[in-house]
Amino acid sequence: MTNSPNAKNTDVLISGASVAGPALAYWLHRHGFRPTIVERAPALRDGGYAVDFRGEAHLSVLRAMGILPELERARTGTGSMKYVNSAGRPVAEMPADLFAGDIEVLRGDLSRILYDATKEHTEYVFGDSVTSLTEDADGVTATFERSAPRRFGLVIGADGLHSTTRRLVFGPEERFVRHLGVHCAIFTTDNYLGLDHTGHVFRTAGRFVGLHSARHNAEARAVFYFASPRLDLHRRDVPRQQAVLAEHFAGNGWESDRLLEAMRHAPDFYFDSVAQVHMDTWSRGRVALLGDAAHCPSSLSGMGSGLALVGAYVLAGELAAAHGDHTVAFAQYEDRMRAYARGCQKMGDGVARLMVPGSRALAAFLNRYYRLLPYLPGKNMASNIARRTAEDIVLPDYAPQLATSRPRRPQPVLRTL
């Protein structure tokens, strides 16, 4: 246990309060550490994608955290998704398992559930951000935009694709972030189509627009993807982002123009590049990266949140097993997680070309393929591959006497805490 007389580095700073950060705080507290989370946003962020969990690796961690019942209550219940033509008539249908896995929840709901599970024992500092990290033999001095400098034993960057921690410690974003040729936008709007736990998608060459119901049909999420080289847009310049989106989708057909008008009034507009993070190492000295900051598989992979929760469990467990010795724990964390993260990233490779085909011929072919998919022998192939990928790791029980070394070949998870 980390609260033994020999434990060290018990004060841990975590940057990021979305998914990976609070999940890590939960497990660190369970092992006797004292986590502090700093988050740039002034409060928890609502909105965002629906995220899904599939397979026993994901579910075993959620079950051990005690939040599985809450996630069941918050699940979207989304069924199959329909591809439509410009007149809105369905032309193909995709099964729910391909999109939603075993449990699908809105990212904002997941973030709230994780916050509620940790707020009693974790110090949260909202509306602030790390500006520098200075390491010495005994710890790390962190400075902040607003707060006074503080000392911590360890620092974990769980601050997403555009990680500030990664930039401060490892170097500029351009070294590690690989653009996949697609940009995306998502926002909340009215469920004016009356969608009932489903969604409609319209696709043309280089463009994809969809609308799916959310929060038990009380609202809807609009989703846009478009093919483009990396755009030099400031991440907080929402007016310019919306102007670029409007330029790409004006006159696109179906509900595009109406959704673009609704975009102007959305309370939670989000725009970004679809990208992956590739790094040779996820730690340097007393600083380590977790979740998308370390190995973002892209929003198209369907693996990001599950990968983050599994990584949080492993990182906290390895720190506990090493009694806070980061030189041992960080190496073990990478050793256990790297192959798993690489497999999840492969799920994102190539998906961009299928989601947003670059030519009319390919778009037409894919529309015909999806129309025939329910009748083809391999109709479940994609969802089966996703499930095998999600389960392709062994999770040890990190009770001190049961901590185990990594097996030679990954196998599905069979046990939990």
Side-chain angles (χ1 to χ4, degrees), residues 213-274:
S213 60
R215 298 216 162 105
H216 304 291
N217 305 326
E219 60 190 38
R221 293 289 192 274
V223 182
F224 291 78
Y225 289 94
F226 64 95
S228 168
R230 180 70 179 266
L231 299 173
D232 185 19
L233 299 176
H234 193 282
R235 289 192 293 118
R236 296 178 184 83
D237 189 353
V238 171
R240 180 57 185 150
Q241 293 169 357
Q242 292 183 341
V244 167
L245 194 68
E247 290 168 8
H248 278 84
F249 283 90
N252 181 57
W254 185 54
E255 300 290 329
S256 300
D257 287 345
R258 180 167 180 174
L259 290 174
L260 290 173
E261 178 60 30
M263 168 189 72
R264 310 290 183 183
H265 311 287
D268 55 359
F269 179 81
Y270 169 85
F271 181 97
D272 207 346
S273 163
V274 176

Side-chain angles (χ1 to χ4, degrees), residues 34 59 102 202 230 293 297 300 335 340 384 388 411 417:
R34 294 185 294 271
L59 297 182
D102 294 314
F202 177 64
R230 180 70 179 266
L300 294 178
D335 186 51
Y340 185 57
N384 288 340
R388 287 197 300 269
Q411 298 293 331
L417 289 180

Side-chain angles (χ1 to χ4, degrees), residues 19-101:
V19 174
L24 178 64
Y26 175 90
W27 289 113
L28 287 176
H29 171 72
R30 283 276 296 267
H31 291 300
F33 291 86
R34 294 185 294 271
T36 296
I37 294 180
V38 60
E39 165 60 47
R40 180 187 296 276
L44 289 178
R45 300 181 186 184
D46 200 4
Y49 294 93
V51 300
D52 55 83
F53 302 99
R54 65 185 75 222
E56 194 58 24
H58 296 174
L59 297 182
S60 66
V61 172
L62 297 172
R63 195 177 297 120
M65 295 177 75
I67 63 173
L68 193 53
E70 289 183 82
L71 292 175
E72 291 278 6
R73 289 191 291 271
R75 67 190 307 163
T76 63
T78 301
S80 58
M81 305 283 283
K82 294 180 175 63
Y83 281 88
V84 299
N85 60 19
S86 58
R89 291 192 293 271
V91 297
E93 189 168 347
M94 300 298 288
D97 187 49
L98 184 61
F99 293 95

Side-chain angles (χ1 to χ4, degrees), residues 163-180:
S163 169
T164 296
T165 310
R166 188 183 60 227
R167 175 178 56 81
L168 291 173
V169 177
F170 296 85
E173 181 173 300
E174 293 74 20
R175 291 188 193 174
F176 312 110
V177 176
R178 178 162 64 88
H179 177 57
L180 298 185

